[in-house]
């Protein structure tokens, strides 16, 4: 399975620094071999200009969220057909920051993933436990329930990627141990196989949460870790490229 390394810029980047970051990444991509698929998810305001820079390159464009409806009276939202129209091939749905800031439930996340599929986008569906839930031994139960609630029937190996992101590891510099990451990824793999017998084994499972150049190789070497969703470190093109280069 080709690993996928996805950059989640979150609400960071104005026109010039965003474009400079992508140009730098593209110069690395042009000058070196890489063993992964790469997707960059800038804020919505930069999608059109960055789409222009990525044309003809192997780096794909992704949105950070989409609405479940295709169009309509939803002020401030962006729909999956709009993302496809501007050149996106991917969209992140159900990031823990959206689940928290916008009270997105599993059902909402599932309908966003279905909308992404209907527009030909690959949904990067995020799941992950809080620190309290981990301390309480609930990690697998929480992640299992999120998967059941957030994955629509339309899932296949091409249109869906699952990202396991422990909330307490996001932006904190802390990560689970390699064994803990492995345990959750194996569990997600089993759930995917049970729910989608034809495709589950081929759905990529990314790890996210404080991935950086210094820990990427160890995390990406874990059997069922099929890539990474990178926040903070993706804001530096050299660090993001170093993570891309850490794929086994
Ligand atoms: P981080 O964020 O790499 O800054 O921890 C990851 C994410 O939230 O996707």
């Amino acid at each position: 399975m080709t690993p996928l390394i996805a950059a989640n810029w979150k609400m960071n980047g104005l026109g010039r620094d965003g474009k400079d970051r992508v140009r730098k990444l593209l110069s690395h991509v042009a000058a070196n071999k890489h063993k992964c698929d790469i997707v960059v998810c800038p804020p919505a305001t930069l999608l059109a200009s960055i789409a222009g820079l990525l044309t003809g390159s192997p780096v794909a464009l992704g949105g950070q969220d989409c609405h479940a409806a295709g169009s309509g009276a939803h002020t401030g939202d962006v729909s999956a057909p709009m993302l496809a129209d501007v050149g996106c091939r991917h969209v992140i749905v159900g990031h823990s920051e959206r689940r928290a800031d916008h009270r997105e439930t599993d059902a909402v996340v599932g309908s966003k993933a279905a909308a992404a599929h209907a527009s030909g986008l690959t949904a990067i569906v995020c799941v992950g436990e809080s620190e309290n839930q981990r301390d309480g031994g609930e990690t697998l139960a929480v992640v299992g329930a999120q998967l059941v609630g957030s994955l629509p029937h339309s899932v296949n190996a091409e249109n869906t990627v699952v990202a396991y992101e422990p909330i307490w590891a996001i932006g904190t510099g802390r990560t689970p141990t390699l064994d803990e990451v492995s345990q959750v990824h194996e569990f997600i793999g089993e759930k995917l196989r049970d729910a989608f017998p034809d495709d589950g084994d081929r759905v990529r499972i990314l790890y996210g949460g404080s991935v950086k150049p210094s820990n990427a190789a160890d995390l990406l070497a874990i059997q069922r870790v099929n890539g990474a969703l990178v926040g903070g470190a993706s804001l530096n093109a050299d660090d993001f490229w170093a993570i891309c280069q850490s794929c086994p």
Side-chain angles (χ1 to χ4, degrees):
M1 218 181 305
T2 307
L4 173 69
I5 307 294
N8 175 12
W9 290 3
K10 309 191 180 183
M11 197 172 70
N12 295 293
L14 301 178
R16 204 167 89 192
D17 46 302
K19 280 189 274 185
D20 284 351
R21 191 180 299 141
V22 166
R23 283 197 193 95
K24 201 163 188 185
L25 174 63
L26 289 176
S27 69
H28 285 305
V29 169
N32 299 280
K33 286 195 166 53
H34 60 281
K35 292 182 257 175
C36 57
D37 294 332
I38 303 173
V39 53
V40 173
C41 303
T45 48
L46 297 187
L47 286 170
S49 59
I50 289 180
L53 295 178
L54 296 181
T55 304
S57 87
V59 177
L61 185 68
Q64 296 181 7
D65 177 55
C66 67
H67 196 279
S71 63
H74 301 288
T75 303
D77 279 312
V78 173
S79 73
M82 290 170 176
L83 293 177
D85 184 52
V86 77
C88 290
R89 301 218 314 258
H90 298 73
V91 59
I92 300 168
V93 294
H95 191 283
S96 60
E97 287 153 13
R98 292 209 56 93
R99 290 177 185 263
D101 294 355
H102 300 272
R103 299 201 187 87
E104 291 187 5
T105 61
D106 290 335
V108 167
V109 175
S111 54
K112 289 180 175 208
H117 295 163
S119 288
L121 299 173
T122 296
I124 302 175
V125 182
C126 303
V127 296
E129 81 286 2
S130 68
E131 184 153 33
N132 278 345
Q133 288 165 335
R134 174 158 286 271
D135 291 346
E138 298 163 43
T139 297
L140 298 186
V142 167
V143 168
Q146 286 177 329
L147 283 174
V148 169
S150 309
L151 292 176
H153 298 302
S154 46
V155 165
N156 66 40
E158 281 71 44
N159 71 13
T160 303
V161 173
V162 172
Y164 168 56
E165 298 205 307
I167 297 168
W168 53 274
I170 294 175
T172 60
R174 297 161 58 207
T175 59
T177 66
L178 299 178
D179 282 348
E180 287 167 343
V181 173
S182 175
Q183 184 197 27
V184 179
H185 279 243
E186 289 297 332
F187 172 78
I188 293 172
E190 278 166 31
K191 288 274 169 203
L192 288 169
R193 195 178 320 135
D194 290 349
F196 307 99
D198 293 339
D199 277 57
D201 272 336
R202 292 185 299 118
V203 172
R204 290 187 278 197
I205 309 172
L206 313 185
Y207 169 77
S210 296
V211 176
K212 39 190 185 233
S214 58
N215 61 17
D218 286 342
L219 288 162
L220 291 165
I222 298 171
Q223 180 98 28
R224 196 56 167 100
V225 173
N226 311 117
L229 181 54
V230 186
S234 75
L235 297 176
N236 178 304
D238 294 332
D239 286 351
F240 183 65
W241 177 247
I243 292 168
C244 294
Q245 291 289 72
S246 303
C247 288

